[in-house]
Amino acid sequence: METSRSHLCLLVFCFIIAQTSCVHQGSLKKNHIALFIFGDSLFDVGNNNYLNHPIALANFTPYGTTYFHYPSGRFSNGRLIPDFIAEKMKLPLIPPYLLPGYHEFTNGANFASAGAGALLETHLGDKGMVVDLNTQMVQMKNVKKEIRKQIGDAQTCKLLSKAIYLINIGANDYLGPSPVFNSFSQKDYVAMVLGNLTSVVKDIYKIGGRKFGFIGVGAFDCSPSMRALEQNKGGCNEVLSSLTKLHNEALPKILKEMQSQLKEFQYSYFDFYTTFSERITNPLKYGFKEAKVACCGAGPYRGIVSSCGLVKGYEVCEDVNEYVFFDSVHPTEKFYDQLSHLIWSGGHNVNIPYNLKTLVCAN
C-alpha cells in the first residue's frame, strides 16, 4: 500500500511540475513540454482552411458555435481532443501549422488535416486536397528548423525529446478507401497503412521525438453516414468494421515491437473503438440521448456526408449535448471532452501500457 501511495505522490508531483512550465525569451524552463499533433479531421483545428482545393472544410456555421462562437475549421460544435489535451498540459490551444504568419512553435504545432490518411493516395493527398501523413512529417522537420533558430540546438534537442507526439490516423484510409484498396487483401492493405504510420513514427524518432500518444481507429463503421448507406443491412458497415478491427489489433503489437527496437521509444495507445462503441450502444449511461442520428445534417439519420451547413434543408438539433455525433461522421464537443479525459488519465482498460498523463511525466 505504501509503495503504491509513494508512486502516486511521485506522479502527482511530476504532473504539477509539468503543468507550471512556460517559455521565456529564447530559453525553456526545465519542465516545459510541447505538444505536436498529427492526424485527420478529428484533430484538424483549421489547417484545411489554408489549402487551395481542400476535400473537406468546416469553416462555416453551424460548426464551432458552442465554444468558439464562430466556425474555426474544427469538425465539431466546439473543441477537439488536441484542444482538451493541450489544456490538461497547461498549454495554450495549439493553432494550425498553416496559419499564416505563425511561427511560435515552442509550445508545439498541429499538422492534422481533415480527410488525411496514412497513405498518400487517400483522398488525393498527392493533389494537395489534404495534407497526408508523410507531408505532415515534412512540416514537422520544418518546425524543428524554426525552433532551432529561436532557442538553439541544445534546447531544441531537449524540447523535442520531452514533447508529446499525438497521432490519430487511419480512419480515412478505410472510410475512403484509397484507390489502391482493391489491389490488396484486407490484411495486406491494413499492413500497408500501418507500415506508413510506423515509418513516420521512426522519422519523428530520428529527429528527436521520444514520447508518442496513439489513438486507435474509432467506431465509424456505425456512424450516421454508414447507417444512411446501410439502413437496409442492419446499420453498420461490415467491411469498415473488419478493417478497423484488423488495424486496432495490429497497432498495439507493432508499438510493443518498436519499443524493443528503439531504445528510448515510449508510447501510450488509447482504445478508441471500444470507448466509442460503448457510447453508441448505451448513450444514456454516458449522458447522451441520441447516438444514431447526427445533430446536424440531412437525409436518413442526418447522415448524408457533408450535408451539415451545406445541403438545402439540413437540420440542426436543439440540444447538441444530447448527441454523440455532431455531423454525419464527427462527434460532439461533449463526446471529445469525455474521451480526452480517458486518454489523459484513464486506466489500463482503455490505455496501453499507461495513459497520456503518465507518459508526460515519464523520464
Side-chain angles (χ1 to χ4, degrees):
M1 178 65 73
E2 286 301 319
T3 302
S4 298
R5 189 173 297 166
S6 299
H7 181 64
L8 177 61
C9 289
L10 180 62
L11 283 177
V12 171
F13 175 75
C14 179
F15 176 56
I16 292 171
I17 292 296
Q19 295 207 86
T20 59
S21 62
C22 58
V23 184
H24 285 284
Q25 300 174 350
S27 64
L28 299 173
K29 278 207 167 182
K30 184 178 180 182
N31 293 295
H32 178 72
I33 300 176
L35 177 63
F36 296 101
I37 300 149
F38 302 78
D40 53 31
S41 57
L42 269 67
F43 281 12
D44 185 357
V45 295
N47 278 308
N48 275 28
N49 293 349
Y50 306 104
L51 300 181
N52 290 329
H53 303 288
I55 194 167
L57 284 171
N59 59 351
F60 47 85
T61 56
Y63 288 103
T65 53
T66 299
Y67 181 80
F68 298 99
H69 306 297
Y70 70 93
S72 66
R74 290 166 171 82
F75 285 78
S76 187
N77 59 300
R79 289 161 291 181
L80 307 182
I81 287 171
D83 298 317
F84 286 110
I85 297 301
E87 289 173 358
K88 293 176 188 302
M89 292 176 66
K90 298 300 180 185
L91 293 168
L93 300 187
I94 308 299
Y97 168 76
L98 295 178
L99 181 68
Y102 185 80
H103 300 288
E104 299 297 322
F105 297 121
T106 47
N107 285 321
N110 186 318
F111 310 103
S113 170
L119 302 180
L120 177 63
E121 298 86 355
T122 296
H123 289 159
L124 301 177
D126 55 340
K127 304 296 183 184
M129 298 177 72
V130 299
V131 184
D132 67 280
L133 185 60
N134 282 304
T135 303
Q136 292 179 32
M137 177 60 217
V138 172
Q139 293 173 343
M140 178 67 218
K141 290 179 179 178
N142 292 335
V143 162
K144 179 180 179 180
K145 293 175 185 176
E146 289 287 336
I147 295 174
R148 186 186 289 134
K149 290 177 187 176
Q150 295 171 23
I151 61 175
D153 288 344
Q155 291 275 31
T156 298
C157 181
K158 182 178 178 181
L159 183 145
L160 295 179
S161 67
K162 287 180 172 289
I164 296 296
Y165 300 83
L166 190 62
I167 303 173
N168 168 71
I169 204 77
N172 286 308
D173 297 295
Y174 308 130
L175 278 164
S178 164
V180 301
F181 174 72
N182 291 325
S183 301
F184 299 88
S185 68
Q186 286 191 8
K187 187 175 181 180
D188 288 344
Y189 181 77
V190 170
M192 187 166 59
V193 170
L194 290 172
N196 274 31
L197 169 57
T198 52
S199 176
V200 166
V201 171
K202 289 176 181 177
D203 282 344
I204 296 172
Y205 187 89
K206 285 176 185 175
I207 66 168
R210 294 296 182 265
K211 298 181 178 183
F212 297 81
F214 297 92
I215 313 298
V217 174
F220 300 108
D221 50 336
C222 297
S223 65
S225 65
M226 290 296 112
R227 291 186 190 279
L229 290 172
E230 305 285 337
Q231 54 184 318
N232 296 322
K233 304 176 185 177
C236 299
N237 185 284
E238 292 181 4
V239 173
L240 184 54
S241 297
S242 178
L243 290 165
T244 300
K245 183 179 179 182
L246 287 169
H247 179 103
N248 290 336
E249 285 178 349
L251 182 53
K253 296 174 183 176
I254 290 170
L255 296 176
K256 191 172 182 179
E257 269 181 44
M258 288 179 67
Q259 194 170 40
S260 65
Q261 297 167 359
L262 306 175
K263 184 179 177 182
E264 298 175 344
F265 176 77
Q266 296 173 287
Y267 73 94
S268 174
Y269 170 82
F270 178 69
D271 181 1
F272 189 20
Y273 191 90
T274 299
T275 52
F276 205 155
S277 294
E278 286 172 350
R279 283 155 178 79
I280 292 174
T281 305
N282 193 3
L284 291 175
K285 180 180 177 181
Y286 300 96
F288 301 100
K289 290 185 179 179
E290 180 55 69
K292 294 180 179 179
V293 178
C295 170
C296 177
Y301 303 96
R302 294 182 187 144
I304 296 175
V305 175
S306 300
S307 62
C308 177
L310 291 177
V311 172
K312 185 177 180 180
Y314 79 89
E315 300 174 308
V316 183
C317 65
E318 290 186 7
D319 186 355
V320 66
N321 288 320
E322 294 181 349
Y323 286 73
V324 170
F325 288 93
F326 181 68
D327 66 14
S328 62
V329 177
H330 305 98
T332 58
E333 181 187 68
K334 179 179 175 179
F335 174 95
Y336 284 134
D337 189 7
Q338 291 184 7
L339 269 288
S340 299
H341 178 74
L342 292 173
I343 292 167
W344 181 250
S345 57
H348 293 293
N349 58 320
V350 292
N351 293 291
I352 301 171
Y354 38 63
N355 56 43
L356 199 63
K357 179 178 174 181
T358 303
L359 183 66
V360 167
C361 218
N363 293 326

